[in-house]
Amino acid sequence: MAILANLISAFAPIFLILSPFTSYADQILSIHRTKSSAGFSLDIPLIMLTASILKIFYWPGARYDITLLVQALLMVGVQLLLLKVALDNRPAWRGEGPFRGVAEGDGRPWGFWRWRSQRLYWEYLLLLTLFLLALHTIFNPTSTSPYTFFIGYIGLAIEATLPLPQILANAQAGSCKGFRLSVLANWLVGDAMKMGFFFLSEEGKVPWAFKLCGIFQACCDAGLGAQYWVYGDGKGEEEKGRTPRADVRLA
């Protein structure tokens, strides 16, 4: 056990810091090469950007391990690039998938994160950052303040829901087309590394908020893996001359 703990302590921080690149570089390149983000859920950048920004503002009060802070900072940069590439290469407007409006039964107030204009996506992120900066100035968070506890659990709970939009999208489409196997593999390997790092680190370095939300996310990722095994990536339907339903439902 001591050897395992030492190995995880040595390699897990490196893996976690690099995980934003290893998890999403292939997805970004795939969208750029194919000139289409069909099949990719835009809710993934929404969840990761919102959660990562919250985690950054969580650090001054919680003072959790610096590795997790660096990971959050890098994740923001990678997700901004992913969002930009996905928006630039989304399919033509058809009122479908992530771009279907409330009037058509989407159910999101003001069509949140279903906007046609790219400007609204960047405005949301800017306003969220400014709002958190104002709260940070007002509450002056400490390790024992309710504000620190609240913002930490909210941010990590949001991140824990990361696989859910893709799981729902795959279930609706009956296919995993557009979702890269490399992303799934990195999520699953990352879950294993995170669990080891969270539970084998020194007491107090990783708050329980990380551990509880990490367990939930690992279970969701396992469910996504089961979907990929059942549905496949849609190539079988392409070879038979049919268009996988993911192309119609998602963007």
Side-chain angles (χ1 to χ4, degrees):
M1 180 61 74
I3 296 176
L4 178 61
N6 289 334
L7 287 174
I8 290 177
S9 298
F11 292 104
I14 299 174
F15 180 88
L16 291 175
I17 289 174
L18 294 178
S19 62
F21 303 103
T22 57
S23 296
Y24 296 101
D26 187 49
Q27 184 75 68
I28 293 171
L29 291 174
S30 174
I31 294 173
H32 178 71
R33 285 196 300 264
T34 61
K35 303 300 181 184
S36 174
S37 57
F40 175 73
S41 174
L42 277 179
D43 285 332
I44 290 178
L46 168 64
I47 290 171
M48 291 308 301
L49 284 167
T50 301
S52 296
I53 292 171
L54 284 165
K55 283 164 62 178
I56 291 169
F57 281 94
Y58 177 44
W59 187 84
R63 296 288 174 174
Y64 56 80
D65 193 276
I66 194 69
T67 297
L68 301 173
L69 174 62
V70 174
Q71 181 196 39
L73 290 167
L74 293 176
M75 185 64 76
V76 168
V78 171
Q79 291 298 323
L80 288 174
L81 178 59
L82 176 57
L83 177 60
K84 175 62 176 174
V85 172
L87 291 175
D88 285 346
N89 294 283
R90 58 185 171 180
W93 176 268
R94 295 168 300 186
E96 299 168 345
F99 309 106
R100 185 174 61 238
V102 176
E104 297 172 273
D106 183 82
R108 296 195 182 190
W110 307 291
F112 178 73
W113 211 253
R114 303 297 200 234
W115 304 303
R116 298 181 67 176
S117 172
Q118 289 197 28
R119 177 178 56 84
L120 296 175
Y121 294 87
W122 311 120
E123 286 183 355
Y124 161 77
L125 296 171
L126 176 60
L127 290 174
L128 173 64
T129 303
L130 293 176
F131 175 69
L132 291 172
L133 183 61
L135 290 180
H136 185 83
T137 303
I138 294 170
F139 291 105
N140 191 24
T142 63
S143 60
T144 58
S145 68
Y147 169 75
T148 297
F149 178 87
F150 177 78
I151 198 174
Y153 270 92
I154 290 296
L156 290 163
I158 291 173
E159 182 176 353
T161 66
L162 173 64
L164 295 182
Q166 195 67 51
I167 289 173
L168 294 174
N170 293 344
Q172 291 173 351
S175 171
C176 292
K177 179 176 170 55
F179 182 68
R180 302 290 291 179
L181 179 60
S182 59
V183 174
L184 173 61
N186 273 281
W187 283 4
L188 293 173
V189 173
D191 289 335
M193 295 295 287
K194 283 193 296 185
M195 290 300 98
F197 182 73
F198 290 171
F199 287 96
L200 295 177
S201 293
E202 297 177 13
E203 188 70 25
K205 288 185 67 176
V206 180
W208 264 100
F210 280 92
K211 298 174 183 179
L212 292 175
C213 295
I215 292 172
F216 177 80
Q217 186 175 355
C219 293
C220 291
D221 287 343
L224 187 56
Q227 273 191 328
Y228 205 96
W229 181 71
V230 172
Y231 294 142
D233 58 5
K235 291 182 179 178
E237 293 188 39
E238 285 183 341
E239 292 172 358
K240 295 177 183 179
R242 297 195 302 269
T243 300
R245 284 176 288 169
D247 274 344
V248 177
R249 297 296 296 261
L250 288 175

